[in-house]
Amino acid sequence: MRVIIKNDYDQCSIWAANYVAYRIKSFRPTAKKPFVLGLCTGSTPLGMYKELIKMYKAGKISFENVVTFNMDEYIGLGPKDAQSYHYFMHENFFKHVNIPQANIHLLNGLTKDYAKECKNYEDQIKSYGKIHLFIGGVGSDGHIAFNEPGSSLSSRTRVKTLTSETIEANSRFFDGNKSKVPTNVLTVGIGTITDSEEVMILATGDKKARAIHHAIEGSINHMWPISILQMHEHSIIICDEPATNELKSDTVRYFKEIEKQLRP
Ligand code: GLP
């Protein structure tokens, strides 16, 4: 596992955007061999999306041959609903870059047939071989996508019920009203995420410190879904200083030193 520790949120966003651009460019994607990117929503990746948009506008990166799969969606919310993840992605990223509409994949929160929707999503991912880089955030309870504590560490795309902690955290996007937050969601599974060639998780702010402690220093445990990254061959956690508040100082020093020595 690589752990990148930056001073603040902006530096994390810049590092993440540069890394995404580097991965896409070095892959040399074409229409026949697109780069497959897994994407997430939430407040944390917003800065990274802004940086990627800047790079696109400056002619430094193209998304023409990039295919995307988003992690999750609320059941019952359609693309025009301002709280849906379809809307979030369109407003905060897709409409600003040159990604073809046909290359964008999100789970349909309005589907009547959940099992079919989830199986199709897995099949669509498989049709591209694999996701090359899956970018995610993490909940303060350690959830990745909407895989709440107790999720099977080998789960696939399916319906999940949100915990009260996640409903409380996400109510800030629903006028602070918990009763407006959908209780059920469609989400890729932990197995879907870890099948990717590389997984990159962004975590900023001290609210994420406990999850980061469990991810890096804890044991692999379904009660802290993010801890599965320890089993992945290529995982990266990017965090700011406050998100490292619950790590031992030796752990922080260790990861800072290897980044300095190996990747100046
Ligand atoms: C939601 C999303 C997750 C995201 C998490 C943290 O629950 N489903 O994908 O990682 O929120 O969001 P934030 O970045 O806003 O803290």
Side-chain angles (χ1 to χ4, degrees):
M1 180 190 286
R2 275 183 85 178
V3 179
I4 309 293
I5 302 166
K6 295 286 170 194
N7 287 344
D8 57 27
Y9 176 83
D10 288 346
Q11 285 186 31
C12 289
S13 303
I14 291 169
W15 196 98
N18 281 335
Y19 191 73
V20 173
Y22 155 76
R23 282 296 318 270
I24 294 173
K25 279 196 234 173
S26 52
F27 189 84
R28 297 177 195 279
T30 62
K32 283 199 175 143
K33 194 195 74 159
F35 187 83
V36 187
L37 194 56
L39 293 176
C40 62
T41 57
S43 323
T44 317
L46 280 173
M48 176 193 72
Y49 288 135
K50 282 196 184 116
E51 288 299 323
L52 285 170
I53 293 164
K54 257 196 245 166
M55 284 183 199
Y56 164 69
K57 292 198 167 147
K60 291 182 182 159
I61 179 84
S62 168
F63 295 91
E64 195 186 351
N65 295 314
V66 172
V67 163
T68 63
F69 284 91
N70 258 81
M71 291 185 142
D72 42 18
E73 181 56 286
Y74 290 110
I75 289 181
L77 300 192
K80 290 196 179 127
D81 198 309
Q83 275 73 38
S84 74
Y85 288 169
H86 276 74
Y87 190 90
F88 175 102
M89 288 307 300
H90 182 72
E91 287 302 307
N92 293 301
F93 188 50
F94 295 143
K95 79 173 188 189
H96 305 282
V97 298
N98 64 337
I99 183 161
Q101 185 61 37
N103 289 12
I104 297 171
H105 301 85
L106 284 117
L107 285 153
N108 175 11
L110 297 179
T111 184
K112 296 269 176 286
D113 190 339
Y114 304 132
K116 191 169 163 208
E117 175 70 15
C118 294
K119 186 177 180 308
N120 279 350
Y121 208 63
E122 290 277 337
D123 289 346
Q124 279 178 311
I125 295 173
K126 270 189 216 125
S127 75
Y128 286 98
K130 65 181 162 191
I131 291 176
H132 297 112
L133 174 64
F134 216 135
I135 304 167
V138 60
S140 53
D141 59 359
H143 74 252
I144 46 176
F146 268 134
N147 294 284
E148 297 282 29
S151 293
S152 155
L153 296 178
S154 54
S155 48
R156 314 302 310 185
T157 305
R158 68 212 183 292
V159 175
K160 283 294 285 179
T161 305
L162 299 183
T163 60
S164 51
E165 192 165 340
T166 300
I167 290 174
E168 166 90 52
N170 291 4
S171 64
R172 69 191 194 278
F173 299 111
F174 293 81
D175 311 320
N177 186 342
K178 285 191 273 180
S179 67
K180 286 190 185 166
V181 183
T183 50
N184 291 310
V185 295
L186 296 174
T187 179
V188 296
I190 297 177
T192 321
I193 297 170
T194 54
D195 275 356
S196 311
E197 190 175 291
E198 187 167 27
V199 182
M200 180 170 101
I201 298 291
L202 293 155
T204 55
D206 61 358
K207 280 196 182 132
K208 304 296 168 74
R210 208 161 149 233
I212 290 305
H213 156 68
H214 284 278
I216 297 171
E217 296 176 326
S219 50
I220 298 167
N221 187 314
H222 66 164
M223 294 312 287
W224 289 93
I226 190 174
S227 65
I228 194 63
L229 291 190
Q230 294 174 26
M231 288 294 289
H232 199 277
E233 277 187 295
H234 300 289
S235 61
I236 306 183
I237 293 182
I238 307 169
C239 43
D240 62 0
E241 291 286 350
T244 68
N245 278 351
E246 294 201 26
L247 291 177
K248 291 184 188 134
S249 53
D250 271 358
T251 306
V252 172
R253 189 166 52 238
Y254 169 75
F255 283 108
K256 280 186 175 171
E257 271 174 15
I258 40 175
E259 280 305 318
K260 232 190 268 166
Q261 285 162 14
L262 299 177
R263 300 165 219 265

